[in-house]
PDB file of all heavy atoms in Angstrom:
ATOM      1  N   ILE A  12       3.359   8.325  -9.730  1.00 87.00           N
ATOM      2  CA  ILE A  12       3.192   7.032 -10.395  1.00 87.00           C
ATOM      3  C   ILE A  12       3.731   7.197 -11.804  1.00 87.00           C
ATOM      4  O   ILE A  12       3.438   8.137 -12.533  1.00 87.00           O
ATOM      5  CB  ILE A  12       1.738   6.577 -10.456  1.00 87.00           C
ATOM      6  CG1 ILE A  12       1.173   6.331  -9.041  1.00 87.00           C
ATOM      7  CG2 ILE A  12       1.557   5.331 -11.355  1.00 87.00           C
ATOM      8  CD1 ILE A  12      -0.254   6.051  -9.017  1.00 87.00           C
ATOM      9  N   LEU A  48      -1.918  -4.681  -9.982  1.00 91.00           N
ATOM     10  CA  LEU A  48      -3.172  -3.987  -9.952  1.00 91.00           C
ATOM     11  C   LEU A  48      -2.973  -2.757  -8.994  1.00 91.00           C
ATOM     12  O   LEU A  48      -2.616  -2.885  -7.876  1.00 91.00           O
ATOM     13  CB  LEU A  48      -4.252  -4.864  -9.414  1.00 91.00           C
ATOM     14  CG  LEU A  48      -5.543  -4.215  -9.078  1.00 91.00           C
ATOM     15  CD1 LEU A  48      -6.196  -3.666 -10.303  1.00 91.00           C
ATOM     16  CD2 LEU A  48      -6.506  -5.159  -8.335  1.00 91.00           C
ATOM     17  N   VAL A  49      -3.214  -1.559  -9.593  1.00 86.00           N
ATOM     18  CA  VAL A  49      -3.159  -0.363  -8.795  1.00 86.00           C
ATOM     19  C   VAL A  49      -4.583   0.112  -8.583  1.00 86.00           C
ATOM     20  O   VAL A  49      -5.335   0.322  -9.502  1.00 86.00           O
ATOM     21  CB  VAL A  49      -2.380   0.711  -9.602  1.00 86.00           C
ATOM     22  CG1 VAL A  49      -2.380   2.038  -8.844  1.00 86.00           C
ATOM     23  CG2 VAL A  49      -0.917   0.290  -9.767  1.00 86.00           C
ATOM     24  N   LEU A  50      -4.965   0.350  -7.370  1.00 85.00           N
ATOM     25  CA  LEU A  50      -6.263   0.849  -6.964  1.00 85.00           C
ATOM     26  C   LEU A  50      -6.142   2.345  -6.715  1.00 85.00           C
ATOM     27  O   LEU A  50      -5.463   2.702  -5.680  1.00 85.00           O
ATOM     28  CB  LEU A  50      -6.915   0.072  -5.827  1.00 85.00           C
ATOM     29  CG  LEU A  50      -7.128  -1.416  -6.011  1.00 85.00           C
ATOM     30  CD1 LEU A  50      -7.527  -2.069  -4.717  1.00 85.00           C
ATOM     31  CD2 LEU A  50      -8.112  -1.634  -7.092  1.00 85.00           C
ATOM     32  N   TYR A  51      -6.837   3.151  -7.423  1.00 81.00           N
ATOM     33  CA  TYR A  51      -6.853   4.611  -7.204  1.00 81.00           C
ATOM     34  C   TYR A  51      -8.023   4.978  -6.270  1.00 81.00           C
ATOM     35  O   TYR A  51      -9.088   4.538  -6.525  1.00 81.00           O
ATOM     36  CB  TYR A  51      -6.882   5.400  -8.507  1.00 81.00           C
ATOM     37  CG  TYR A  51      -5.775   5.131  -9.472  1.00 81.00           C
ATOM     38  CD1 TYR A  51      -5.726   4.225 -10.375  1.00 81.00           C
ATOM     39  CD2 TYR A  51      -4.636   6.069  -9.330  1.00 81.00           C
ATOM     40  CE1 TYR A  51      -4.677   4.078 -11.263  1.00 81.00           C
ATOM     41  CE2 TYR A  51      -3.564   5.867 -10.209  1.00 81.00           C
ATOM     42  CZ  TYR A  51      -3.632   4.939 -11.133  1.00 81.00           C
ATOM     43  OH  TYR A  51      -2.547   4.751 -11.990  1.00 81.00           O
ATOM     44  N   PRO A  52      -7.788   5.866  -5.290  1.00 79.00           N
ATOM     45  CA  PRO A  52      -8.976   6.336  -4.596  1.00 79.00           C
ATOM     46  C   PRO A  52      -9.852   7.222  -5.530  1.00 79.00           C
ATOM     47  O   PRO A  52      -9.226   7.922  -6.447  1.00 79.00           O
ATOM     48  CB  PRO A  52      -8.328   7.210  -3.401  1.00 79.00           C
ATOM     49  CG  PRO A  52      -6.968   7.455  -3.862  1.00 79.00           C
ATOM     50  CD  PRO A  52      -6.563   6.430  -4.846  1.00 79.00           C
ATOM     51  N   GLU A  53     -11.056   7.305  -5.274  1.00 76.00           N
ATOM     52  CA  GLU A  53     -11.887   8.049  -6.171  1.00 76.00           C
ATOM     53  C   GLU A  53     -11.612   9.471  -6.252  1.00 76.00           C
ATOM     54  O   GLU A  53     -12.033  10.214  -7.215  1.00 76.00           O
ATOM     55  CB  GLU A  53     -13.446   7.810  -5.910  1.00 76.00           C
ATOM     56  CG  GLU A  53     -13.999   8.541  -4.691  1.00 76.00           C
ATOM     57  CD  GLU A  53     -13.692   7.940  -3.364  1.00 76.00           C
ATOM     58  OE1 GLU A  53     -13.022   6.861  -3.298  1.00 76.00           O
ATOM     59  OE2 GLU A  53     -14.181   8.458  -2.329  1.00 76.00           O
ATOM     60  N   ILE A  55      -8.810  10.804  -6.911  1.00 76.00           N
ATOM     61  CA  ILE A  55      -7.837  11.106  -7.896  1.00 76.00           C
ATOM     62  C   ILE A  55      -8.131  10.261  -9.232  1.00 76.00           C
ATOM     63  O   ILE A  55      -7.243   9.757  -9.886  1.00 76.00           O
ATOM     64  CB  ILE A  55      -6.400  10.832  -7.492  1.00 76.00           C
ATOM     65  CG1 ILE A  55      -6.184   9.427  -6.880  1.00 76.00           C
ATOM     66  CG2 ILE A  55      -5.957  11.942  -6.466  1.00 76.00           C
ATOM     67  CD1 ILE A  55      -4.741   9.121  -6.604  1.00 76.00           C
ATOM     68  N   LEU A  56      -9.340  10.224  -9.596  1.00 76.00           N
ATOM     69  CA  LEU A  56      -9.790   9.516 -10.789  1.00 76.00           C
ATOM     70  C   LEU A  56      -9.101  10.065 -12.085  1.00 76.00           C
ATOM     71  O   LEU A  56      -8.927   9.354 -13.012  1.00 76.00           O
ATOM     72  CB  LEU A  56     -11.313   9.570 -10.959  1.00 76.00           C
ATOM     73  CG  LEU A  56     -12.090   8.722 -10.002  1.00 76.00           C
ATOM     74  CD1 LEU A  56     -13.626   8.939 -10.306  1.00 76.00           C
ATOM     75  CD2 LEU A  56     -11.708   7.256 -10.150  1.00 76.00           C
ATOM     76  N   SER A  57      -8.700  11.381 -12.054  1.00 78.00           N
ATOM     77  CA  SER A  57      -8.079  11.912 -13.179  1.00 78.00           C
ATOM     78  C   SER A  57      -6.792  11.202 -13.517  1.00 78.00           C
ATOM     79  O   SER A  57      -6.371  11.225 -14.642  1.00 78.00           O
ATOM     80  CB  SER A  57      -7.834  13.423 -13.028  1.00 78.00           C
ATOM     81  OG  SER A  57      -6.951  13.575 -11.847  1.00 78.00           O
ATOM     82  N   TRP A  58      -6.188  10.484 -12.517  1.00 78.00           N
ATOM     83  CA  TRP A  58      -4.941   9.782 -12.822  1.00 78.00           C
ATOM     84  C   TRP A  58      -5.165   8.545 -13.731  1.00 78.00           C
ATOM     85  O   TRP A  58      -4.234   8.052 -14.319  1.00 78.00           O
ATOM     86  CB  TRP A  58      -4.275   9.353 -11.512  1.00 78.00           C
ATOM     87  CG  TRP A  58      -3.708  10.426 -10.728  1.00 78.00           C
ATOM     88  CD1 TRP A  58      -3.956  11.799 -10.826  1.00 78.00           C
ATOM     89  CD2 TRP A  58      -2.791  10.306  -9.642  1.00 78.00           C
ATOM     90  NE1 TRP A  58      -3.245  12.513  -9.875  1.00 78.00           N
ATOM     91  CE2 TRP A  58      -2.562  11.582  -9.139  1.00 78.00           C
ATOM     92  CE3 TRP A  58      -2.164   9.262  -9.102  1.00 78.00           C
ATOM     93  CZ2 TRP A  58      -1.623  11.810  -8.069  1.00 78.00           C
ATOM     94  CZ3 TRP A  58      -1.263   9.399  -7.965  1.00 78.00           C
ATOM     95  CH2 TRP A  58      -0.939  10.731  -7.528  1.00 78.00           C
ATOM     96  N   LEU A  59      -6.425   8.109 -13.877  1.00 78.00           N
ATOM     97  CA  LEU A  59      -6.764   7.016 -14.706  1.00 78.00           C
ATOM     98  C   LEU A  59      -6.775   7.405 -16.232  1.00 78.00           C
ATOM     99  O   LEU A  59      -6.799   6.550 -17.022  1.00 78.00           O
ATOM    100  CB  LEU A  59      -8.161   6.487 -14.348  1.00 78.00           C
ATOM    101  CG  LEU A  59      -8.187   5.696 -13.051  1.00 78.00           C
ATOM    102  CD1 LEU A  59      -9.675   5.485 -12.630  1.00 78.00           C
ATOM    103  CD2 LEU A  59      -7.509   4.380 -13.140  1.00 78.00           C
ATOM    104  N   ASN A  60      -6.628   8.675 -16.488  1.00 80.00           N
ATOM    105  CA  ASN A  60      -6.587   9.135 -17.922  1.00 80.00           C
ATOM    106  C   ASN A  60      -5.292   8.766 -18.610  1.00 80.00           C
ATOM    107  O   ASN A  60      -5.296   8.824 -19.859  1.00 80.00           O
ATOM    108  CB  ASN A  60      -6.848  10.640 -17.958  1.00 80.00           C
ATOM    109  CG  ASN A  60      -8.203  11.099 -17.559  1.00 80.00           C
ATOM    110  OD1 ASN A  60      -9.115  10.300 -17.664  1.00 80.00           O
ATOM    111  ND2 ASN A  60      -8.388  12.346 -17.096  1.00 80.00           N
ATOM    112  N   VAL A  61      -4.309   8.323 -17.900  1.00 82.00           N
ATOM    113  CA  VAL A  61      -3.016   8.065 -18.506  1.00 82.00           C
ATOM    114  C   VAL A  61      -3.020   6.499 -18.680  1.00 82.00           C
ATOM    115  O   VAL A  61      -3.171   5.717 -17.740  1.00 82.00           O
ATOM    116  CB  VAL A  61      -1.892   8.439 -17.600  1.00 82.00           C
ATOM    117  CG1 VAL A  61      -0.541   8.059 -18.185  1.00 82.00           C
ATOM    118  CG2 VAL A  61      -1.923   9.966 -17.395  1.00 82.00           C
ATOM    119  N   GLN A  62      -2.696   6.084 -19.937  1.00 83.00           N
ATOM    120  CA  GLN A  62      -2.578   4.659 -20.244  1.00 83.00           C
ATOM    121  C   GLN A  62      -1.297   4.051 -19.516  1.00 83.00           C
ATOM    122  O   GLN A  62      -0.260   4.643 -19.672  1.00 83.00           O
ATOM    123  CB  GLN A  62      -2.482   4.395 -21.743  1.00 83.00           C
ATOM    124  CG  GLN A  62      -2.528   2.958 -22.134  1.00 83.00           C
ATOM    125  CD  GLN A  62      -3.889   2.296 -21.938  1.00 83.00           C
ATOM    126  OE1 GLN A  62      -4.861   2.941 -21.780  1.00 83.00           O
ATOM    127  NE2 GLN A  62      -3.885   0.985 -21.981  1.00 83.00           N
ATOM    128  N   ARG A  63      -1.475   3.029 -18.796  1.00 86.00           N
ATOM    129  CA  ARG A  63      -0.353   2.490 -18.072  1.00 86.00           C
ATOM    130  C   ARG A  63      -0.250   0.942 -18.377  1.00 86.00           C
ATOM    131  O   ARG A  63      -1.200   0.278 -18.749  1.00 86.00           O
ATOM    132  CB  ARG A  63      -0.545   2.579 -16.542  1.00 86.00           C
ATOM    133  CG  ARG A  63      -0.654   4.026 -16.073  1.00 86.00           C
ATOM    134  CD  ARG A  63       0.641   4.676 -16.123  1.00 86.00           C
ATOM    135  NE  ARG A  63       0.688   5.950 -15.436  1.00 86.00           N
ATOM    136  CZ  ARG A  63       1.576   6.789 -15.442  1.00 86.00           C
ATOM    137  NH1 ARG A  63       2.698   6.578 -16.133  1.00 86.00           N
ATOM    138  NH2 ARG A  63       1.512   7.995 -14.797  1.00 86.00           N
ATOM    139  N   PHE A  65      -0.140  -1.544 -16.534  1.00 89.00           N
ATOM    140  CA  PHE A  65      -0.534  -2.420 -15.448  1.00 89.00           C
ATOM    141  C   PHE A  65      -2.055  -2.215 -15.326  1.00 89.00           C
ATOM    142  O   PHE A  65      -2.688  -1.407 -15.941  1.00 89.00           O
ATOM    143  CB  PHE A  65       0.176  -2.054 -14.139  1.00 89.00           C
ATOM    144  CG  PHE A  65       0.185  -0.568 -13.885  1.00 89.00           C
ATOM    145  CD1 PHE A  65      -0.940   0.032 -13.321  1.00 89.00           C
ATOM    146  CD2 PHE A  65       1.316   0.183 -14.036  1.00 89.00           C
ATOM    147  CE1 PHE A  65      -0.863   1.458 -12.983  1.00 89.00           C
ATOM    148  CE2 PHE A  65       1.423   1.572 -13.795  1.00 89.00           C
ATOM    149  CZ  PHE A  65       0.228   2.162 -13.312  1.00 89.00           C
ATOM    150  N   HIS A  66      -2.703  -3.106 -14.529  1.00 89.00           N
ATOM    151  CA  HIS A  66      -4.139  -3.030 -14.338  1.00 89.00           C
ATOM    152  C   HIS A  66      -4.525  -1.937 -13.411  1.00 89.00           C
ATOM    153  O   HIS A  66      -3.794  -1.679 -12.419  1.00 89.00           O
ATOM    154  CB  HIS A  66      -4.687  -4.301 -13.819  1.00 89.00           C
ATOM    155  CG  HIS A  66      -4.292  -5.512 -14.668  1.00 89.00           C
ATOM    156  ND1 HIS A  66      -5.061  -5.862 -15.862  1.00 89.00           N
ATOM    157  CD2 HIS A  66      -3.349  -6.471 -14.606  1.00 89.00           C
ATOM    158  CE1 HIS A  66      -4.476  -6.895 -16.362  1.00 89.00           C
ATOM    159  NE2 HIS A  66      -3.513  -7.341 -15.716  1.00 89.00           N
ATOM    160  N   CYS A  67      -5.638  -1.260 -13.628  1.00 87.00           N
ATOM    161  CA  CYS A  67      -6.066  -0.202 -12.682  1.00 87.00           C
ATOM    162  C   CYS A  67      -7.462  -0.495 -12.225  1.00 87.00           C
ATOM    163  O   CYS A  67      -8.320  -1.011 -12.948  1.00 87.00           O
ATOM    164  CB  CYS A  67      -6.088   1.133 -13.495  1.00 87.00           C
ATOM    165  SG  CYS A  67      -4.453   1.678 -14.140  1.00 87.00           S
ATOM    166  N   GLY A  68      -7.750  -0.001 -11.044  1.00 85.00           N
ATOM    167  CA  GLY A  68      -9.091  -0.121 -10.502  1.00 85.00           C
ATOM    168  C   GLY A  68      -9.367   1.083  -9.655  1.00 85.00           C
ATOM    169  O   GLY A  68      -8.501   1.896  -9.361  1.00 85.00           O
ATOM    170  N   ILE A  69     -10.603   1.183  -9.083  1.00 84.00           N
ATOM    171  CA  ILE A  69     -10.943   2.281  -8.265  1.00 84.00           C
ATOM    172  C   ILE A  69     -11.327   1.709  -6.865  1.00 84.00           C
ATOM    173  O   ILE A  69     -12.096   0.816  -6.713  1.00 84.00           O
ATOM    174  CB  ILE A  69     -12.227   3.074  -8.839  1.00 84.00           C
ATOM    175  CG1 ILE A  69     -11.887   3.615 -10.245  1.00 84.00           C
ATOM    176  CG2 ILE A  69     -12.604   4.142  -7.904  1.00 84.00           C
ATOM    177  CD1 ILE A  69     -13.082   4.111 -10.942  1.00 84.00           C
ATOM    178  N   TRP A  70     -10.735   2.363  -5.851  1.00 81.00           N
ATOM    179  CA  TRP A  70     -11.073   2.022  -4.479  1.00 81.00           C
ATOM    180  C   TRP A  70     -12.154   3.061  -4.088  1.00 81.00           C
ATOM    181  O   TRP A  70     -11.861   4.168  -3.786  1.00 81.00           O
ATOM    182  CB  TRP A  70      -9.817   2.216  -3.554  1.00 81.00           C
ATOM    183  CG  TRP A  70     -10.070   1.906  -2.144  1.00 81.00           C
ATOM    184  CD1 TRP A  70     -11.321   1.779  -1.468  1.00 81.00           C
ATOM    185  CD2 TRP A  70      -9.069   1.687  -1.138  1.00 81.00           C
ATOM    186  NE1 TRP A  70     -11.049   1.494  -0.101  1.00 81.00           N
ATOM    187  CE2 TRP A  70      -9.751   1.401   0.061  1.00 81.00           C
ATOM    188  CE3 TRP A  70      -7.664   1.674  -1.219  1.00 81.00           C
ATOM    189  CZ2 TRP A  70      -9.017   1.212   1.279  1.00 81.00           C
ATOM    190  CZ3 TRP A  70      -6.994   1.458   0.012  1.00 81.00           C
ATOM    191  CH2 TRP A  70      -7.626   1.191   1.136  1.00 81.00           C
ATOM    192  N   TRP A  71     -13.365   2.590  -4.246  1.00 77.00           N
ATOM    193  CA  TRP A  71     -14.526   3.546  -4.058  1.00 77.00           C
ATOM    194  C   TRP A  71     -14.929   3.639  -2.607  1.00 77.00           C
ATOM    195  O   TRP A  71     -15.490   2.718  -2.090  1.00 77.00           O
ATOM    196  CB  TRP A  71     -15.693   3.075  -4.916  1.00 77.00           C
ATOM    197  CG  TRP A  71     -16.534   4.173  -5.369  1.00 77.00           C
ATOM    198  CD1 TRP A  71     -17.570   4.699  -4.675  1.00 77.00           C
ATOM    199  CD2 TRP A  71     -16.386   4.867  -6.546  1.00 77.00           C
ATOM    200  NE1 TRP A  71     -18.109   5.719  -5.386  1.00 77.00           N
ATOM    201  CE2 TRP A  71     -17.396   5.970  -6.573  1.00 77.00           C
ATOM    202  CE3 TRP A  71     -15.544   4.796  -7.691  1.00 77.00           C
ATOM    203  CZ2 TRP A  71     -17.492   6.837  -7.608  1.00 77.00           C
ATOM    204  CZ3 TRP A  71     -15.656   5.751  -8.722  1.00 77.00           C
ATOM    205  CH2 TRP A  71     -16.682   6.682  -8.651  1.00 77.00           C
TER     206      TRP A  71
END
Side-chain angles (χ1 to χ4, degrees):
I12 296 176
L48 171 62
V49 175
L50 297 175
Y51 294 93
E53 79 276 3
I55 55 172
L56 288 179
S57 61
W58 290 17
L59 288 168
N60 290 335
V61 178
Q62 186 71 14
R63 300 286 190 191
F65 48 79
H66 302 282
C67 298
I69 301 170
W70 181 345
W71 208 272

